[in-house]
Amino acid sequence: MTGGTAGTVGIPEATAAPTVKCLVWDLDGTVWDGTVLEGDAPRPFPAALETLRTLDERGILHAVASRSDPGAAAAHLAEHGLTDLFTLLDIGWGAKSEAVRRIAGKLNIGIDTVAFIDNDPMEREEIAAALPQVRCYPADLAAHLPERPEFRPPFVTDESRQRRALYRGELRRKEAQESYEGAPAQFLASLDLELTVRRATEEDLARAHELTVRTHQLNTTGRTYDMDALRALCASPRHQVLVASLRDRFGSYGTIGLALTERTDRAQDSVGGEEAQGAQRTCVLRLLLLSCRVMSRGVGPALIGHIARDALARGLRPLAEFVPTEVNRVMLVNLRFSGFEVVERTEDRLVLGPAPGAPLPPPPAHVRVRVADADDDAVDTDTVHAVDTGNTVTKNHAEPGPGPGIPDVPGTEPDVTWRNR
């Protein structure tokens, strides 16, 4: 094939386009060397198998958009042990561009982060005409895709390697929510959400850095930190770097939150660092960010409330810094729902905190917050928590111990859509 620009039937040129999040595969003549319906008993191409596994290790999802009999194609995938490598199957006789569009919608990813591979130039042309943002590749390039920059994510972490399982869990949640007949609040309660908060370790730094770079909407300040900066903050006696993970009855969401707090060693104001007569020592939330995947789960107030109660238990006044951006207003809403009011205002930022003497709002009832130590022993903050009694802070104590986990609900099949049956 001759070279071309992204979206043409030729080979897309390397550009500054986003890293591919999902590669959509044709089956006949692309994944395997024949046509299932013609009785060829086709065998998978070794190059296709290698690329499937390599990209999966990097956290790039795979899906299928194929013109074929749905049952026969799915059975052939299962026969060769390939079913689990694909997050979504969209098999039938309709336009492949519509299948690609549905796949992007179900995965909740931008269409410009989807790529398509097919041995038929007419199919690639159809995709290019209908979805010019989608990068299209001929099947004979399959072996070389892992070498291309658009298939080399800047971050590959342990969580990246679990991305397929994370997305399958999310698809099962969506199906459950769509079929749920009760109120949204009742559905949230039915998920049995568990938020685990712990100090970041060396193993968390790559994911923490990734979150600061990739998370813009649910980010209180918009600041980014490289791994060296995060490592230094972890070692600082005045700072805490916390990571938060979430799970429910469908499985894990992975690491979904990062918080950076700074404790003052003396009575200071929170903005300029100057002596403030009679001021309390403070614990300032310098950064809080959450993955957009959990925006609808209501975990923001749960995490903020935990940090505030922990500060009060240590005799510190909880404060939070907020730097407005074009997209992060939802985090200001989260702070306000958590009982934080504006206490200082400058031209480019706000400082918020609970009103003196006012109790914090109760924790969200649908989220259980647990605190894990370095050895992963967890303490349920339903029984270990700070109680705000105005200017006096007391603490209810319970013996720490491992808490009950929520088992994964394993998904053995990808989500399947049969087209135009």
Side-chain angles (χ1 to χ4, degrees), residues 2 10-11 20 37 61 66 104 106 191-192 228 245 325 395 415:
T2 59
I11 300 172
V20 171
L37 288 183
L61 304 174
S66 183
K106 284 189 174 184
L191 289 176
D192 198 14
D228 288 339
S245 59
T325 69
K395 190 171 183 179
D415 186 269

Side-chain angles (χ1 to χ4, degrees), residues 37-94:
L37 288 183
E38 295 178 359
D40 295 340
R43 298 185 62 80
F45 290 113
L49 293 179
E50 183 65 23
T51 293
L52 280 162
R53 292 174 179 136
T54 298
L55 298 185
D56 181 68
E57 282 287 308
R58 296 177 187 175
I60 294 174
L61 304 174
H62 297 294
V64 168
S66 183
R67 291 179 185 273
S68 186
D69 175 76
H76 203 65
L77 283 168
E79 179 183 343
H80 289 279
L82 300 180
T83 304
D84 284 349
L85 279 171
F86 295 96
T87 305
L88 289 167
L89 306 180
D90 198 315
I91 303 172
W93 304 106

Side-chain angles (χ1 to χ4, degrees), residues 208-225 256 258-259 285-292 295 321-335:
H209 172 48
E210 180 184 22
L211 282 169
T212 71
V213 172
R214 296 181 58 175
T215 306
H216 306 290
Q217 189 172 2
L218 300 183
N219 187 323
T220 54
T221 62
R223 297 192 183 103
T224 61
Y225 295 87
I256 52 84
L258 176 71
L285 184 59
R286 297 295 185 189
L287 172 69
L288 176 68
L289 55 84
L290 296 167
S291 169
C292 290
M295 181 184 293
E321 190 176 6
F322 179 77
V323 179
T325 69
E326 294 181 356
V327 296
N328 74 343
R329 183 172 176 80
V330 66
M331 290 304 281
L332 180 59
V333 174
N334 272 271
L335 288 165

Side-chain angles (χ1 to χ4, degrees), residues 16-332:
T19 301
V20 171
K21 293 183 178 179
C22 179
L23 178 58
V24 180
W25 294 74
D26 169 53
L27 292 177
D28 295 334
T30 301
V31 170
W32 45 60
D33 61 356
T35 304
V36 170
L37 288 183
E38 295 178 359
D40 295 340
R43 298 185 62 80
F45 290 113
L49 293 179
E50 183 65 23
T51 293
L52 280 162
R53 292 174 179 136
T54 298
L55 298 185
D56 181 68
E57 282 287 308
R58 296 177 187 175
I60 294 174
L61 304 174
H62 297 294
V64 168
S66 183
R67 291 179 185 273
S68 186
D69 175 76
H76 203 65
L77 283 168
E79 179 183 343
H80 289 279
L82 300 180
T83 304
D84 284 349
L85 279 171
F86 295 96
T87 305
L88 289 167
L89 306 180
D90 198 315
I91 303 172
W93 304 106
K96 289 187 180 179
S97 60
E98 289 304 309
V100 170
R101 198 190 307 272
R102 282 192 293 271
I103 288 166
K106 284 189 174 184
L107 295 177
N108 195 27
I109 59 176
I111 198 70
D112 61 341
T113 66
V114 177
F116 177 72
I117 184 168
D118 198 309
N119 67 310
D120 188 338
M122 292 185 64
E123 297 286 10
R124 300 198 303 273
E125 187 66 56
E126 191 269 332
I127 294 283
L131 302 170
Q133 309 97 315
V134 174
R135 286 157 280 184
C136 299
Y137 303 86
D140 57 12
L141 196 63
H144 303 287
L145 293 186
E147 303 167 8
R148 295 179 62 86
E150 60 268 36
F151 291 94
R152 301 183 71 87
F155 311 100
V156 178
T157 64
D158 288 341
E159 190 155 315
S160 302
R161 300 180 182 95
Q162 299 299 317
R163 190 157 287 145
R164 172 164 44 98
L166 296 177
Y167 269 85
R168 283 191 177 180
E170 185 60 25
L171 290 169
R172 296 196 300 275
R173 289 181 192 99
K174 288 181 179 179
E175 290 176 357
Q177 186 167 8
E178 289 170 359
S179 62
Y180 192 79
E181 296 182 354
Q186 293 174 320
F187 176 74
L188 279 179
S190 76
L191 289 176
D192 198 14
L193 288 160
E194 180 181 81
L195 182 72
T196 299
V197 184
R198 58 184 174 82
R199 282 180 176 263
T201 65
E202 181 69 25
E203 289 72 25
D204 296 308
L205 296 187
R207 173 58 175 162
H209 172 48
E210 180 184 22
L211 282 169
T212 71
V213 172
R214 296 181 58 175
T215 306
H216 306 290
Q217 189 172 2
L218 300 183
N219 187 323
T220 54
T221 62
R223 297 192 183 103
T224 61
Y225 295 87
D226 62 23
M227 289 181 61
D228 288 339
L230 288 166
R231 189 176 291 111
L233 289 166
C234 287
S236 166
R238 293 191 300 111
H239 294 86
Q240 272 193 332
V241 180
L242 304 173
V243 291
S245 59
L246 187 68
R247 62 185 302 112
D248 63 15
R249 61 188 174 92
F250 293 101
S252 174
Y253 294 75
T255 301
I256 52 84
L258 176 71
L260 168 63
T261 65
E262 181 179 6
R263 173 181 54 80
T264 60
D265 290 327
R266 55 180 180 169
Q268 296 175 335
D269 70 30
S270 61
V271 176
E274 298 175 354
E275 287 289 336
Q277 185 66 34
Q280 291 179 302
R281 293 190 306 145
T282 61
C283 176
V284 184
L285 184 59
R286 297 295 185 189
L287 172 69
L288 176 68
L289 55 84
L290 296 167
S291 169
C292 290
R293 291 185 287 114
V294 298
M295 181 184 293
S296 63
R297 296 297 179 251
V299 299
L303 181 54
I304 295 167
H306 163 73
I307 292 169
R309 288 179 174 83
D310 181 68
L312 289 167
R314 292 183 288 136
L316 304 174
R317 182 187 182 190
L319 296 173
E321 190 176 6
F322 179 77
V323 179
T325 69
E326 294 181 356
V327 296
N328 74 343
R329 183 172 176 80
V330 66
M331 290 304 281
L332 180 59

Side-chain angles (χ1 to χ4, degrees), residues 368-387:
R368 183 169 64 256
V369 179
R370 302 182 68 78
V371 181
D373 61 21
D375 296 322
D376 291 328
D377 290 330
V379 179
D380 195 327
T381 58
D382 287 343
T383 57
V384 179
H385 61 281
V387 180

